[in-house]
Amino acid sequence: MWTLFTDRGRLGAATALLAALVLSGCASKGGLGLEGSGEGGTSKYEQQKDGGAAADSDAIHIPPVPHHPKVEKIAEQAMAEYARALQARMAGNDKQALVMFRSLSERFPQLSGPALNVGLIYMEQEDYPKAQQAFEQSLAINDANPYAHNGLGLALREQGKFDDARIHYERALVLDPKYARAHFNMAVLAELYLQDLNLALKHFQAYQNLQKQPDENVANWIVDLQRRAPESPPSQWQTRMPGTRMEN
């Protein structure tokens, strides 16, 4: 199961935000995203590794993507075709969308968004080496794109490159400390693959604090990590949801 890369409600406003999306590459197909999938992991929460047991993020903050002002004129030229490519993705026609995003990437090499969307499609197809290549291409264009760092972290994680994945999640969060999904992905990586419970706790709490409404499943994970993590401080979720626990 995939969870959202951008919030479902905001995705409906993609047309209004199109100029920004062309620059940032932060648009995603409805209902799909970059939280990742894949087997393995040691958590007793079977679905935690792919976000399947957590509700879709309702964080209202959209991480900005710094860019050079000259890129805006180039984005205007690509806008109409980029919109059609996004529509193809949202309609489930990833084959057509992949061709369109590749074409955009070749003809507008100053934009990081097309390459990022190529990476998203390859992630959905579970072709992680090609996804990694596309995200790296996006970052070669704009290393300040937090979405591309987050995506690259996921592609690396799925290939067992956990330390490298952490580097890119951290980079995404340096660029924007309020990037909720990067916190979520870092927390999953920390618990399941790095076995760093304190790090997982820190980032699940950060993710939870960015939600408009607390995610009850994430709250349960926080409670459990508080119990298992060495020298972890008391959490508001222990008081808020005493004794609650997810099924094994």
Side-chain angles (χ1 to χ4, degrees), residues 1-2 29 32-34 36-38 88-89 92-102 116-132 134-135 154-155 158-159:
M1 176 178 176
W2 290 73
K29 180 176 172 182
L32 299 176
L34 279 182
S37 61
R89 284 208 70 213
N93 193 344
D94 281 351
K95 184 176 181 179
Q96 178 185 358
L98 184 58
V99 171
M100 296 176 72
F101 282 124
R102 281 175 170 170
L116 176 53
N117 276 277
V118 170
L120 288 171
I121 293 172
Y122 281 132
M123 285 296 293
E124 292 163 19
Q125 296 176 351
E126 299 184 358
D127 191 336
Y128 304 121
K130 286 186 178 179
Q132 176 183 345
F135 292 134
L154 284 161
E158 294 299 332
Q159 297 175 82

Side-chain angles (χ1 to χ4, degrees), residues 36-40 49-50 126 128 157-158 193:
S37 61
E39 301 303 321
K49 59 181 173 292
D50 64 4
E126 299 184 358
Y128 304 121
R157 188 196 79 182
E158 294 299 332
Y193 303 101

Side-chain angles (χ1 to χ4, degrees), residues 120-163:
L120 288 171
I121 293 172
Y122 281 132
M123 285 296 293
E124 292 163 19
Q125 296 176 351
E126 299 184 358
D127 191 336
Y128 304 121
K130 286 186 178 179
Q132 176 183 345
Q133 184 179 16
F135 292 134
E136 287 174 342
Q137 179 184 349
S138 180
L139 289 171
I141 297 167
N142 184 1
D143 187 64
N145 189 326
Y147 303 97
H149 281 289
N150 184 56
L152 181 53
L154 284 161
L156 292 167
R157 188 196 79 182
E158 294 299 332
Q159 297 175 82
K161 302 174 183 179
F162 305 133
D163 291 334

Side-chain angles (χ1 to χ4, degrees), residues 174-219:
V174 167
L175 290 167
D176 194 325
K178 294 182 179 180
Y179 189 178
R181 283 304 184 177
H183 281 294
F184 185 93
N185 291 334
M186 176 69 88
V188 172
L189 178 76
E191 182 184 358
L192 301 186
Y193 303 101
L194 301 179
Q195 302 297 301
D196 187 334
L197 301 186
N198 283 313
L199 183 64
L201 176 61
K202 172 185 174 182
H203 287 283
F204 274 133
Q205 287 175 327
Y207 171 83
Q208 187 79 304
N209 290 338
L210 289 166
Q211 305 306 300
K212 290 188 293 184
Q213 297 293 328
D215 184 308
E216 292 186 3
N217 288 324
V218 174

